[in-house]
Amino acid sequence: MSQVAHSDSNPPTSFAQRAESPSGDIAELTYESLDDPKRLCAAIGAVRRDDAGAIATFFGTTRDNFQGKRVTRLEYQAYTPLAIKTMLKILAE
């Protein structure tokens, strides 16, 4: 399991981490923007395997307004150890 220290913009519990399951599946939590198609392709390429039946990604967007107010930015955070543990549990199912 590898991890990257948090940045000033992410709380200490929100850090990038990558883990591999006993069967070789990869779970990765990142805070890098995937807006650039090259980064998205690189992320998919990092987990692509000939014996894999599918690759699931989440690519979220947001509206430019919420309840009549302009949305100027979003901040995401996660408790990384639990997020990785949950992803590995899903991979094991």
Side-chain angles (χ1 to χ4, degrees):
M1 197 175 301
S2 62
Q3 69 185 42
V4 177
H6 75 282
S7 70
D8 291 337
S9 62
N10 293 330
T13 58
S14 295
F15 51 87
Q17 188 169 0
R18 178 183 174 109
E20 188 170 330
S21 73
S23 62
D25 294 318
I26 297 170
E28 184 169 1
L29 179 65
T30 181
Y31 288 88
E32 291 182 34
S33 171
L34 297 179
D35 287 344
D36 179 350
K38 289 180 184 178
R39 278 193 180 164
L40 182 58
C41 287
I44 292 170
V47 297
R48 173 176 246 120
R49 293 190 336 219
D50 290 340
D51 63 338
I55 297 171
T57 61
F58 173 77
F59 189 79
T61 61
T62 187
R63 299 179 197 94
D64 63 357
N65 66 84
F66 178 72
Q67 296 183 344
K69 295 180 183 177
R70 184 172 177 228
V71 174
T72 59
R73 69 182 183 159
L74 290 178
E75 293 182 14
Y76 291 95
Q77 67 181 42
Y79 180 63
T80 299
L82 181 57
I84 291 292
K85 180 179 176 181
T86 302
M87 287 189 276
L88 290 171
K89 182 179 175 185
I90 291 168
L91 289 170
E93 292 178 355

